[in-house]
Amino acid sequence: MPSSKETLHQFGFTDSEADIYLALNTRGEMDVPSLAKELGLSRTAIYDVLNTLLAKGYIDYRKQGRNAYYKAGHPNKLAGLLEEKKRETALLAGDMEETIRQLTGSFNLAQNKPGVRFFEGEDGIHDVLDYIANGFKPNTELLSFVKVKPPQYEKQLNSAVDAFIKKRIAAGVKTLVLAIDNEEGKKLKQNDKDALRETRLVPEHDLSPGFFGGEIFMYNNDVCMATVEEERFFALAISSPAIANMFKSIFFSQWVLLS
């Protein structure tokens, strides 16, 4: 079993903080000269530590004339450290679970097994588009359900999407796009030739509510789905031939109807 000092260390006490707290706990009320003599510390160092322990509520003091006397508070006050450690441990466990999930997806992808990767936040926008671009191979065809720069996307996506399109064109990857038949969709279609793209527009009245709630990219054996909710971007990339073929079938069933 660890000593009391070792346990206090584990909960964030420094050597000096632990020594002074334990001295006050075992010897009772003491003044600064007594602590300095007992612990071999300078008075300045002791005052600094006492102020820290007072601020945290672990010790108390009283004044008698010009002298100040310090004593340890009830050890129950340390229970707050335990609760804080539990919260930190819970957060750490959550972070580790998320890391394991991410690494499992990457590991599966590296082993050519079905895998999943998750992207989030502003960095996630660039990361998922880089992930897609890095998957381009000779004769890759990119299929996309595209929601053309809705307001909540504009700030986050413009630069990332422009860079992605340049990479796609440089790689010679053509994309087939289904977009909503509105003003923005028509503008997208007008630039198809320069963007190595073919766009077909879907009448809004033919769509189920929320059908274009985000964007879906299909290529090779991969599917990437991206959206913004509560101004937070996130995307899910799935590498699975069966799932990719299912999404491609849905795409082409709509594509053929618009020919």
Side-chain angles (χ1 to χ4, degrees):
M1 179 177 177
S3 66
S4 295
K5 183 174 181 178
E6 289 171 336
T7 299
L8 291 175
H9 275 161
Q10 292 175 10
F11 283 87
F13 276 63
T14 65
D15 274 341
S16 297
E17 289 170 353
D19 287 338
I20 290 175
Y21 177 80
L22 292 172
L24 295 175
N25 180 267
T26 56
R27 290 168 175 73
E29 194 173 72
M30 300 177 73
D31 60 11
V32 170
S34 300
L35 284 166
K37 182 178 180 180
E38 174 77 20
L39 300 174
L41 298 172
S42 70
R43 295 190 181 189
T44 300
I46 288 175
Y47 276 119
D48 288 342
V49 173
L50 288 172
N51 286 333
T52 298
L53 295 175
L54 281 167
K56 293 180 178 179
Y58 300 144
I59 65 172
D60 301 308
Y61 83 107
R62 67 178 179 87
K63 293 280 288 186
Q64 183 175 322
R66 299 180 62 183
N67 296 322
Y69 295 88
Y70 299 84
K71 64 178 181 179
H74 194 284
N76 282 343
K77 292 184 177 181
L78 298 175
L81 289 173
L82 181 59
E83 293 304 315
E84 182 178 346
K85 181 65 73 172
K86 287 180 180 178
R87 288 192 294 270
E88 291 176 356
T89 301
L91 289 173
L92 182 61
D95 290 343
M96 179 55 73
E97 288 174 0
E98 174 62 20
T99 298
I100 291 172
R101 188 174 65 80
Q102 293 269 13
L103 292 175
T104 299
S106 300
F107 178 81
N108 286 341
L109 293 174
Q111 304 298 316
N112 294 318
K113 296 179 180 179
V116 177
R117 293 191 64 179
F118 186 75
F119 305 85
E120 187 176 10
E122 291 191 19
D123 289 341
I125 294 172
H126 296 273
D127 291 343
V128 71
L129 292 176
D130 284 343
Y131 174 81
I132 295 171
N134 290 336
F136 291 155
K137 302 175 182 178
N139 302 318
T140 290
E141 184 175 59
L142 179 66
L143 314 178
S144 307
F145 290 104
V146 173
K147 184 174 184 178
V148 186
K149 293 185 179 179
Q152 69 266 40
Y153 275 66
E154 288 182 352
K155 181 179 178 181
Q156 297 164 303
L157 286 181
N158 281 344
S159 62
V161 169
D162 290 344
F164 171 73
I165 291 173
K166 290 178 181 178
K167 289 180 182 178
R168 179 179 59 75
I169 293 173
V173 173
K174 181 179 179 180
T175 182
L176 305 182
V177 173
L178 288 174
I180 300 174
D181 189 0
N182 56 19
E183 183 178 347
E184 290 178 325
K186 289 181 173 67
K187 287 181 180 178
L188 181 76
K189 185 175 176 63
Q190 287 175 356
N191 296 321
D192 274 359
K193 185 175 181 180
D194 293 337
L196 197 59
R197 178 178 61 225
E198 181 180 352
T199 301
R200 294 184 182 178
L201 302 177
V202 184
E204 289 193 68
H205 59 75
D206 288 347
L207 298 172
S208 300
F211 184 82
F212 276 87
E215 303 193 354
I216 304 175
F217 303 92
M218 297 144 281
Y219 61 100
N220 303 331
N221 293 322
D222 295 83
V223 177
C224 289
M225 294 167 281
T227 190
V228 171
E229 288 190 9
E230 297 180 354
E231 299 184 357
R232 185 69 174 173
F233 173 89
F234 63 91
L236 189 68
I238 304 173
S239 182
S240 164
I243 293 176
N245 287 334
M246 179 176 64
F247 273 86
K248 289 177 183 179
S249 295
I250 295 171
F251 178 91
F252 280 116
S253 66
Q254 185 67 49
W255 183 263
V256 171
L257 291 175
L258 296 169
S259 60

